Amino acid sequence: MIEFISATKCIECNQCVTVCPTNVFERVDDGIPVIARQSDCQTCFMCELYCPVDAIYVAPSPDGLTGVTEEELTNQGLLGGYREKVGWGKGRTSVASHDFHYKLSARSIF
Amino acid sequence: MSQQNKKLTVDVLVLGGGPAGAWAAWSAASKGAKVVLADKGYVGTSGATAPGGTTLLVIPPIAELREQAVQSRLKAGGYLSENAWIHRVLDQVEVNLEQVEHWGYPFPKDEDGQSLRTHLHGPQYMQIMRKVVLKAGVKIWDQSPALELLHDEHGVGGARGINRLTGEKWEVKANAVVMATGGCAFLSKGLGCNVLTGEGLLMSAEVGADMSGMEFSRQYAPSFAEGSVTRGRMLAWATLYDAEGQPLLKGDRTFGGIPELMLKGPVYASMDLADTEEKREFLRRAHPIFFMPLERSGIDPFKEKFPLTLRYEGTMRGTGGLRLIDHDCSTTVAGLYAAGDAASREKVTGAISGGGAYNASWAMCSGSWAGEGAAQYAQSQPKQADGRNLVAAGHHGMPAGSASSAPLEVKPLVSAIQREILPLHINYFRSEPIISASLDRLNALKAYIDRQAPATVQGIVQSREAAAMLTVGRWMYTAALARKESRGLQKMVEYPELDPRQTYRLIVSGVDHIGISTESVPHAHELDVRKEGRAV
């Protein structure tokens, strides 16, 4: 479930408001978007992918929050970590271009 | 809320912007049709495909290989699939994947430079689809759920909806509508699936469309209990354990035994079959989204045990949906087409789950066919849709259907529906008395849908979602009770065997009163022959 939007990192582009499939965020005039409907979050991580400045953290559980702080996440390298792993964003190589899945299918017994 | 209305007349209106809807919009626009694509969320992030990825059903064009695949599906799917339709999908998917590569999708290549077009990474795939759909001249309306269809005596003629961000109401008149709103997963929190709440099916039924295959809806997917990611294939490298740490199953990629194991107690998994660092690194890199929730929870899945849950996948990984009557994915209602998981996939999957591969290939193929069919139909009509006397058909969970002044409280109603649909002991371990009692309770909930929906944007949208989930649940259990046998995804404890005399499809129709009928299938006689052959 969406845990927070970092007030220090957010650039108020409102991309998360635009792309959220379940309408969790709300635009605020002259401010960062608010998490208006947290319980509607489906934990799909798309806001994290589309946030250009890694200001968003989605906790893994769809049922509740962890209370983790921005500082802790930054120290663990978890803020923006998913974007990096799937190669999403300018200058990165997308996982789409890897043959992992082809090999995965070849290695699975099915 | 803004009372201002946004109105437009086009040729084709596509509802739903996952892969099926995107392909439909692109195909219709490529045929010269004026198209609006309206999605509840955002085209690019919305739906079951976008956040994850999908393996495709692709078989090289070698007659023997394809015939073998078609025959094995026919048998596994209880003789409800149609060979000709599977061949069509296998042909069409090659064309579409080549197109996707042409649009810039970076498929990996083998040593000979041949593209390996077997898998699509969801975010990348859907970002490309958004780009090409826009480039084709389609107007995309994001955050714009449709609420009801427009129709007259000639068939469907558009839809009305609302913009979730602005509250602005919209109306699109179009002589053809493609329903690509996905399946219904009952807000069970599988990755990306909470947008799939069945409104497209309800809207279509309100103008008279039929559903088929709703009994084939018993699919659950294993997931880390404290995560949303349902990617069961990774369990091929896992051992399952009970609460005492005793091993239960090893490397069972079919994960068929998990519901039974869960009846006895909690089930844990550890990916300890990946026994070298090379294997572990390979898996981590191959499937980042599977590992991410575990990593964020501080669990090393290769060494530690993590709790599993099963997330219900509804009609999305079932096979039921709008009944198609022709090659162009038309339905029984003139002007209404269906694609992807909103359509019944029985023609290609039969009675078993479409799984990722079948459904992904089906989404792009049916999307293309529905888009082309809709464009052709719309362009052959004598007048534009704005010259028709169209009326709105929405009823359930809407002001037009309200019969009581009491307020509709959406959240408790959704919980009450989920209590009937999500539990394994009702929906997975199906038996006549249990399903029957559950259906009675669902029918009793109908009265709540007729109350006054909240006037907020969220309230309007969510009331309609609740009405749709309730209706889909009633269709599923009505069909389940009518199929007195076990076949594919449908199992009833009283009827553990397949009954060759029931080799037909079950069609349900109507919302207030559900009618049920059967439809014959072209390969039914092959099952009879096989049985007789064995008896001799």
Side-chain angles (χ1 to χ4, degrees):
Chain A
M1 187 179 284
I2 173 87
E3 185 102 19
F4 63 73
I5 305 173
S6 161
T8 50
K9 287 188 155 188
C10 177
I11 53 168
E12 299 174 24
C13 70
N14 286 295
Q15 187 73 354
C16 52
V17 182
T18 305
V19 306
C20 175
T22 58
N23 196 18
V24 164
F25 305 95
E26 208 152 293
R27 179 187 286 267
V28 172
D29 289 334
D30 303 319
I32 71 167
V34 292
I35 301 169
R37 288 166 288 272
Q38 201 154 21
S39 64
D40 285 340
C41 173
Q42 62 168 351
T43 317
C44 71
F45 307 97
M46 294 309 283
C47 54
E48 263 195 58
L49 278 191
Y50 275 77
C51 176
V53 291
D54 296 332
I56 291 180
Y57 181 73
V58 178
S61 171
D63 299 312
L65 302 176
T66 61
V68 71
T69 66
E70 184 177 345
E71 194 187 350
E72 287 165 344
L73 291 172
T74 310
N75 292 340
Q76 294 167 54
L78 288 177
L79 214 51
Y82 178 47
R83 232 155 65 89
E84 192 183 341
K85 278 215 172 73
V86 299
W88 192 257
K90 279 209 171 79
R92 289 176 171 152
T93 306
S94 165
V95 285
S97 60
H98 293 299
D99 62 358
F100 298 135
H101 269 278
Y102 182 79
K103 287 188 176 151
L104 192 65
S105 299
R107 287 168 82 152
S108 314
I109 313 140
F110 64 90
Chain B
M1 194 194 322
S2 158
Q3 289 303 310
Q4 201 190 345
N5 280 10
K6 186 169 167 184
K7 290 188 176 183
L8 202 62
T9 300
V10 293
D11 299 315
V12 176
L13 171 63
V14 179
L15 300 177
W23 277 101
W26 180 82
S27 301
S30 301
K31 293 280 166 192
K34 275 167 68 180
V35 185
V36 165
L37 166 54
D39 188 77
K40 177 155 70 173
Y42 176 85
V43 179
T45 64
S46 205
T49 298
T54 180
T55 299
L56 295 149
L57 174 74
V58 195
I59 298 169
I62 299 166
E64 247 172 31
L65 286 180
R66 288 199 171 178
E67 199 46 41
Q68 206 181 348
V70 166
Q71 285 301 329
S72 82
R73 175 57 54 153
L74 184 65
K75 198 172 157 193
Y79 288 78
L80 297 189
S81 59
E82 297 180 33
N83 296 355
W85 275 78
I86 303 180
H87 280 296
R88 278 186 86 199
V89 167
L90 291 171
D91 290 341
Q92 181 73 45
V93 76
E94 302 272 350
V95 176
N96 289 30
L97 286 172
E98 212 174 297
Q99 186 71 62
V100 172
E101 185 164 34
H102 171 72
W103 286 329
Y105 188 91
F107 286 110
K109 296 199 178 345
D110 67 12
E111 306 89 56
D112 304 325
Q114 290 289 314
S115 295
L116 303 168
R117 301 190 199 116
T118 58
H119 183 270
L120 287 164
H121 181 235
Q124 184 94 41
Y125 172 32
M126 292 314 298
Q127 191 185 48
I128 288 175
M129 290 310 296
R130 181 182 181 88
K131 199 175 74 187
V132 299
V133 163
L134 285 170
K135 207 173 159 196
V138 172
K139 285 191 170 64
I140 294 183
W141 291 2
D142 296 306
Q143 303 287 352
S144 299
L147 294 168
E148 57 185 331
L149 291 176
L150 303 173
H151 71 146
D152 63 11
E153 70 277 21
H154 303 295
V156 81
R160 280 184 190 160
I162 193 165
N163 183 308
R164 294 196 303 192
L165 301 184
T166 63
E168 185 183 48
K169 291 180 177 162
W170 59 261
E171 179 182 276
V172 174
K173 289 182 175 169
N175 278 328
V177 174
V178 179
M179 198 55 77
T181 45
C184 182
F186 297 90
L187 300 174
S188 60
K189 297 179 178 169
L191 190 70
C193 294
N194 271 19
V195 290
L196 310 172
T197 42
E199 303 92 280
L201 305 183
L202 173 59
M203 276 182 254
S204 302
E206 284 170 337
V207 296
D210 298 333
M211 307 297 144
S212 180
M214 299 305 284
E215 69 277 32
F216 304 121
S217 45
R218 247 178 84 257
Q219 189 83 5
Y220 288 75
S223 150
F224 167 41
E226 286 140 37
S228 57
V229 179
T230 46
R231 292 299 177 269
R233 89 193 299 207
M234 298 307 275
L235 296 181
W237 285 272
T239 307
L240 303 187
Y241 295 90
D242 66 12
E244 276 75 50
Q246 294 300 311
L248 299 165
L249 271 182
K250 262 186 208 302
D252 183 4
R253 198 252 159 201
T254 61
F255 42 83
I258 298 179
E260 283 77 9
L261 296 175
M262 281 197 168
L263 275 189
K264 295 178 198 139
V267 175
Y268 297 79
S270 176
M271 301 196 42
D272 44 20
L273 301 183
D275 49 8
T276 65
E277 190 45 39
E278 185 267 333
K279 283 183 198 170
R280 290 190 283 268
E281 187 52 24
F282 172 75
L283 291 174
R284 270 192 215 103
R285 294 176 64 179
H287 229 327
I289 190 127
F290 177 85
F291 292 97
M292 187 251 290
L294 291 155
E295 184 188 315
R296 289 187 177 187
S297 302
I299 293 171
D300 178 349
F302 295 108
K303 294 194 177 116
E304 294 168 74
K305 300 179 179 74
F306 52 94
L308 288 183
T309 189
L310 287 168
R311 297 205 179 276
Y312 182 54
E313 299 192 289
T315 71
M316 177 196 60
R317 279 226 178 177
T319 69
L322 283 157
R323 178 184 162 221
L324 303 180
I325 57 163
D326 210 341
H327 278 57
D328 57 4
C329 297
S330 49
T331 68
T332 46
V333 175
L336 182 63
Y337 296 74
D341 293 348
S344 166
R345 286 134 286 158
E346 289 162 291
K347 288 178 192 298
V348 297
T349 66
I352 56 172
S353 166
Y358 262 81
N359 283 4
S361 292
W362 168 253
M364 49 173 76
C365 298
S366 59
S368 298
W369 299 328
E372 274 180 37
Q376 256 165 28
Y377 177 84
Q379 288 162 342
S380 69
Q381 296 306 299
K383 56 181 174 188
Q384 294 270 300
D386 56 358
R388 293 167 59 183
N389 292 316
L390 294 163
V391 293
H395 199 76
H396 304 272
M398 298 191 72
S402 93
S404 153
S405 57
L408 170 61
E409 289 180 60
V410 178
K411 291 219 152 116
L413 176 60
V414 169
S415 301
I417 297 166
Q418 287 179 321
R419 278 198 295 277
E420 303 302 333
I421 302 293
L422 302 186
L424 290 167
H425 70 265
I426 298 177
N427 201 356
Y428 186 83
F429 297 104
R430 287 181 180 177
S431 77
E432 278 189 337
I434 289 175
I435 293 291
S436 196
S438 184
L439 180 57
D440 287 345
R441 290 190 294 270
L442 288 171
N443 283 331
L445 291 176
K446 269 171 34 184
Y448 292 90
I449 282 296
D450 297 336
R451 294 184 170 192
Q452 293 287 333
T456 61
V457 177
Q458 299 304 315
I460 290 167
V461 175
Q462 292 176 349
S463 300
R464 196 63 170 149
E465 291 177 346
M469 287 188 278
L470 178 60
T471 308
V472 174
R474 290 170 53 231
W475 286 331
M476 279 168 24
Y477 285 175
T478 300
L481 290 169
R483 189 173 281 286
K484 297 186 184 304
E485 62 160 352
S486 290
R487 183 186 300 257
L489 278 181
Q490 154 77 351
K491 285 198 166 40
M492 273 284 184
V493 71
E494 291 85 355
Y495 311 102
E497 302 291 327
L498 183 148
D499 171 13
R501 290 166 304 176
Q502 294 184 53
T503 308
Y504 44 61
R505 298 203 185 112
L506 283 174
I507 312 298
V508 295
S509 52
V511 180
D512 279 325
H513 301 285
I514 299 174
I516 192 148
S517 57
T518 63
E519 178 187 47
S520 61
V521 287
H523 300 292
H525 63 282
E526 295 173 39
L527 174 65
D528 290 333
V529 168
R530 193 173 61 93
K531 287 259 163 177
E532 282 162 19
R534 195 196 282 160
V536 171

